[in-house]
Every structure is written in C-alpha cells, then in structure tokens.
C-alpha cells in the first residue's frame, strides 16, 4: 500500500472493528445481503486475505463497493526487525493518523509434551498515560486509544506472515512447523484496561468461532492495576488470563516507580485480585520487573512472599529482568535473580523468570518507536 492510499483509507470503514453480527448489520444497512457477512469474515480471518478483490465468492459489484467504502486494517508497516535467531520479530506500525505503535511476534520451540507456540505481543494504545519510570512507552505520554480494528490488525499481520512462511525450530529436525498464532498477550504499548471496551471487542472478534477462533485461555491481559476494570473483567463471559504488573512489594516503593499506586494502593489492588480469583477460580500472574538494587533483594522477595502466600496456588510470579531503556535502571545479574527466586521457592510461591530475548532488536515496549522517531522516514516495508 502506498502512502497516498493511506490518506484515502482515513475515511473508510475498517472492517476489523466489527464482530460478525455487526458486520452483518452494517451490510444490511448498506442494502446488501446479510449472509455475505459470514463469507467476508471467513476471507478475512480464515483465508487471511488483505484484498477485497480476492473474495471470489462475492459478486463483483459488492467487491468493488467494499473497495471504495471499507478497508481491512489501514495501518502500514514502517519497519520490521527480526532477531538474529529469527524467534523475535518486531514491527513498527503507522496508523491512519500517523501515530506509531509496536507489535512483537515471539516464537517458541516445542517443549516436552507441549507443541510450538507463536505469541503476538499487542499494543492497546499509542503511548500510555501511566508513566511507569522504567517503561519506554510510559515516558512518551499518552496519544490515544487504539480501535478494536487496530488491535486485531496487529495479530492478523503476523498470522499472515506465518501462514506464508511457517516457522520450525532450527536444530530440532522432525519437529512440526508452526503456521498460526497460538497466543496473544496485551503487553505491548499502552494500558489495556484503560481502553477496556476496544480491547474486549478485539478479543471477542479474535475469539469468534466463525473467524480467527483463538481460545480465550490463549489470551492474556496485562494491567498496571486499574482496580475497577479488574473487577469488571471478572464478570466478563470471555475468560481471558490476567497478569498484574506488580513490580514492588510495598506501597512506598511501588509509588516511586509506578504513579498508579497512589490511586490504587496495594490493599485495594489485592482486594480486587482476591475477588477476581474467588469469582473466576483462575490463577493470576504477577509480573515483577527486577531493577538492580531497587526492588531485587532477598528482603524484597520476603515482602513479596508476604503478599502472595495468602493467595496460595492462585498466584504465580513472573520475574522479568529489566530491559534497559533511557532510564538509568540496571538489570540484575544471575546471582541476584537466583537469590530472589530462591526466597520465593522457599516460601512456596510459584515463580518463573522470563527468558531475555530480542535484545538485539530493542524488544522492550516503546524502544523501537523511540529509536525510530530519532530518525523518522524509513521506507514503507509492506501493508
Ligand atoms: N500497561 C500494561 C501492559 C503493557 S506493559 C502493564 O503495565 O502491565 C507489559 C509489561 O512489560 C508490564 O509488566 C511492564 O511493566 C513491562 N515492562 C515495561 N517496561 C519494561 C522494561 N523496560 N523492561 C522489562 N519489562 C518492562
Ligand atoms: Fe503504561 Fe504498562 Fe508502561 Fe506502565 S508499564 S507506563 S502501564 S505500558
């Protein structure tokens, strides 16, 4: 797609914002047959086409009309980077209004009984209003919410890429190739629960059995801890996974790195988490970015265990060695990480450490955009 066309698509309806039912309603309003909605949905989400001309079972007149009035995600890819091992792929997308967002595909080889995974890390907003001190996106400030279509479009981009070129883990002869997206995590730019309606709409669209058909258990919302929205989420029929960005075990420390803690302190956050667990019967993941000499000592691990032991098997900690951004935080060494985790193990708190990946392509959220903005105007790579 050329840049001139991007300006045209500004006024076009993005079909990726519609559920099947809404698409049907829209078509009917246009005087078209409602049953065409299912066909279009299959073309978009099962055949993964980007072009109305390819929708061969639609009448030519409808295809032409769609071409004029609608689009299938208007974003263009400004830059695409693959890590050296090709297991982390990051794109910078330019939205119709020129805003820039990032999405990442992470490929995991099969492990034991479980098969290979392809996880898309999706952005929910351009920028972010929450200003966490260690986060590159947080330092940019808030631009705007993404539409449901702009969220869905990120997933479809990588789905098409894998369909065209399936991936198999190198060095594992005979292991199955993977040609589809298996998981989605809302861990890109932005705070998903600050854009609640559009995020839930996007997940419902991707969940639809008539379309992309990705199970809710394969979707994870990561939140900075917006308490009322966590409570609302626990009432949703769509039972997605919940991850809480905790990053500090006391109000004092959390307030220093995460301004949100002043609005929703730990007691309120944990009250909401407890209710969420009681309501859904599901485990909650607590993300904990390890910042050397800030929150990573064994004493901090003890305080973290004090918070999480009462949640029993319903809490899991994901330790994330910080990815260095513009802020002057340092990543802890392996000994500090081991000591921190040992305390959690001793206290019976389930935990894991996120393997570092994609460093050579600046995979921490917001970093690619930050670099890009320093030297704008890269050529368009693909739609
Ligand atoms: N706003 C949501 C989701 C996007 S951030 C949230 O905060 O949960 C996704 C995860 O990446 C969060 O756990 C966030 O704290 C973490 N993160 C942010 N900056 C990071 C960095 N520099 N290094 C490692 N993880 C980071
Ligand atoms: Fe926003 Fe999440 Fe970054 Fe905090 S960590 S600034 S909530 S994107």
């Amino acid at each position: 797609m050329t840049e001139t066309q991007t300006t045209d698509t500004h006024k076009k309806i993005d079909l990726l914002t519609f559920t099947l039912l809404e698409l049907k309603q829209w078509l009917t309003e246009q005087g078209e047959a409602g049953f065409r909605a299912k066909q279009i949905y299959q073309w978009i989400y099962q055949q993964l086409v980007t072009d109305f001309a390819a929708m061969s079972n639609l009448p030519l007149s409808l295809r032409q009309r769609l071409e004029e009035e609608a689009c299938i995600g208007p974003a263009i890819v400004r830059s695409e980077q693959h890590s050296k091992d090709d297991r982390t792929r990051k794109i910078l997308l330019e939205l119709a209004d020129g805003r820039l967002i990032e999405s990442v595909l992470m490929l995991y080889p099969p492990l034991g009984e479980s098969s290979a995974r392809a996880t898309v890390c999706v952005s929910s907003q351009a920028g972010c209003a929450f200003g966490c001190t260690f986060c590159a996106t947080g330092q940019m400030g808030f631009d705007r919410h993404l539409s449901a279509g702009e969220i869905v479009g990120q997933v479809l981009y990588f789905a098409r890429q894998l369909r065209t070129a399936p991936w198999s883990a190198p060095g594992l002869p005979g292991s199955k190739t993977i040609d589809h997206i298996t998981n989605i995590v809302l861990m890109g730019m932005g705070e998903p629960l600050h854009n609640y309606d559009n995020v839930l709409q996007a997940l419902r669209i991707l969940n639809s059995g008539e379309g992309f058909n990705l199970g809710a258990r394969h979707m994870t919302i990561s939140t900075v801890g917006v308490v009322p929205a966590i409570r609302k989420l626990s009432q949703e029929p769509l039972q997605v996974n919940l991850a809480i960005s905790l990053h500090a075990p006391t109000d004092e420390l959390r307030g220093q790195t995460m301004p949100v803690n002043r609005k929703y302190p730990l007691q309120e956050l944990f009250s909401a988490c407890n209710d969420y667990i009681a309501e859904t019967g599901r485990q909650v993941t607590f993300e904990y970015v390890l910042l050397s000499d800030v929150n990573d000592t064994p004493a901090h691990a003890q305080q973290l265990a004090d918070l999480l032991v009462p949640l029993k098997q319903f809490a899991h900690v994901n330790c994330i060695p910080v990815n260095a951004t513009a802020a002057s935080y340092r990543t802890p060494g392996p000994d500090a990480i081991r000591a921190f985790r040992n305390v959690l193990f001793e206290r019976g708190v389930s935990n894991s450490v996120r393997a570092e990946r994609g460093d050579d392509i600046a995979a921490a959220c917001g970093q690619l955009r930050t670099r890009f903005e320093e030297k704008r105007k890269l050529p368009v790579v693909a739609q």
Side-chain angles (χ1 to χ4, degrees):
M1 184 184 273
T2 67
E3 281 184 278
T4 345
Q5 280 172 304
T6 324
T7 331
D8 293 345
T9 55
H10 218 88
K11 288 165 241 100
K12 290 183 177 179
I13 294 274
D14 181 6
L15 297 192
L16 300 185
T17 59
F18 289 146
T19 60
L20 179 57
L21 191 64
E22 288 165 350
L23 181 59
K24 198 168 170 182
Q25 279 162 356
W26 181 76
L27 284 169
T28 319
E29 280 162 24
Q30 309 298 307
E32 301 287 346
F35 76 91
R36 297 288 179 200
K38 206 163 155 180
Q39 294 175 322
I40 297 172
Y41 228 61
Q42 284 169 349
W43 282 112
I44 295 177
Y45 293 105
Q46 292 176 0
Q47 307 304 319
L48 302 176
V49 304
T50 52
D51 199 350
F52 295 112
M55 300 185 177
S56 54
N57 57 357
L58 302 188
L60 191 60
S61 58
L62 177 56
R63 279 185 256 167
Q64 281 167 347
R65 188 161 182 199
L66 289 170
E67 199 74 61
E68 281 159 25
E69 292 170 24
C71 61
I72 307 170
I76 50 172
V77 175
R78 273 301 191 170
S79 152
E80 173 154 356
Q81 300 182 352
H82 292 205
S83 62
K84 283 189 208 94
D85 63 8
D86 202 29
R87 283 174 44 191
T88 309
R89 303 171 184 181
K90 184 158 192 163
I91 53 169
L92 187 71
L93 281 172
E94 183 172 332
L95 306 175
D97 64 355
R99 306 273 193 220
L100 296 169
I101 55 159
E102 297 174 15
S103 320
V104 184
L105 174 69
M106 291 167 291
L107 296 161
Y108 301 88
L111 196 69
E113 296 286 285
S114 59
S115 39
R117 277 182 298 138
T119 301
V120 186
C121 180
V122 180
S123 291
S124 56
Q125 300 177 316
C128 181
F130 286 83
C132 303
T133 56
F134 44 80
C135 172
T137 310
Q139 300 312 304
M140 292 170 189
F142 177 69
D143 292 334
R144 69 165 171 88
H145 296 306
L146 299 192
S147 69
E150 288 167 337
I151 297 170
V152 168
Q154 299 170 54
V155 179
L156 290 188
Y157 176 81
F158 285 118
R160 291 180 199 120
Q161 187 178 78
L162 273 186
R163 174 78 60 89
T164 317
W167 177 81
S168 63
L172 285 175
S175 76
K176 271 212 191 119
T177 56
I178 183 161
D179 62 1
H180 64 283
I181 301 302
T182 61
N183 297 77
I184 299 173
V185 294
L186 270 295
M187 292 186 187
M189 298 169 80
E191 167 50 42
L193 294 189
H194 184 209
N195 185 16
Y196 190 98
D197 291 342
N198 291 346
V199 165
L200 265 289
Q201 168 88 347
L203 296 182
R204 270 183 230 113
I205 291 169
L206 292 164
N207 179 244
S208 165
E210 317 260 20
F212 200 69
N213 199 21
L214 188 76
R217 302 280 153 119
H218 296 263
M219 303 172 171
T220 301
I221 289 182
S222 172
T223 177
V224 72
V226 184
V227 166
I230 294 171
R231 294 190 179 282
K232 195 170 167 192
L233 191 64
S234 69
Q235 305 298 320
E236 290 288 343
L238 194 73
Q239 292 269 298
V240 301
N241 302 306
L242 177 65
I244 305 280
S245 285
L246 191 57
H247 308 327
T250 62
D251 280 323
E252 200 200 343
L253 191 56
R254 197 164 188 265
Q256 284 167 20
T257 51
M258 302 177 72
V260 70
N261 199 72
R262 290 171 221 151
K263 186 153 188 198
Y264 302 116
L266 289 176
Q267 202 188 351
E268 279 184 46
L269 179 58
F270 275 84
S271 158
C273 289
N274 269 310
D275 292 349
Y276 177 92
I277 291 166
E279 201 70 49
T280 62
R282 318 207 49 205
Q283 190 184 59
V284 173
T285 297
F286 292 90
E287 290 159 282
Y288 197 97
V289 167
L290 291 164
L291 309 165
S292 183
D293 296 332
V294 176
N295 67 355
D296 70 333
T297 67
H300 292 121
Q302 291 289 359
Q303 290 172 321
L304 181 60
D306 292 342
L307 280 177
L308 297 182
V309 164
L311 271 54
K312 304 197 179 87
Q313 78 276 21
F314 291 103
H316 176 84
V317 178
N318 191 7
C319 301
I320 310 165
V322 71
N323 237 305
T325 62
S328 58
Y329 293 109
R330 285 176 302 110
T331 311
D335 291 345
I337 298 175
R338 206 172 304 120
F340 189 90
R341 295 187 65 202
N342 276 344
V343 172
L344 297 181
F345 281 128
E346 280 159 18
R347 300 279 305 272
V349 178
S350 151
N351 71 89
S352 50
V353 63
R354 184 181 291 172
E356 278 186 67
R357 56 188 310 161
D359 266 1
D360 58 313
I361 58 159
C365 41
Q367 288 184 326
L368 185 62
R369 176 172 139 179
T370 308
R371 277 188 203 172
F372 180 82
E373 282 176 338
E374 284 160 11
K375 51 172 183 134
R376 231 169 188 273
K377 296 228 175 304
L378 285 183
V380 174
V381 178
Q383 186 184 355

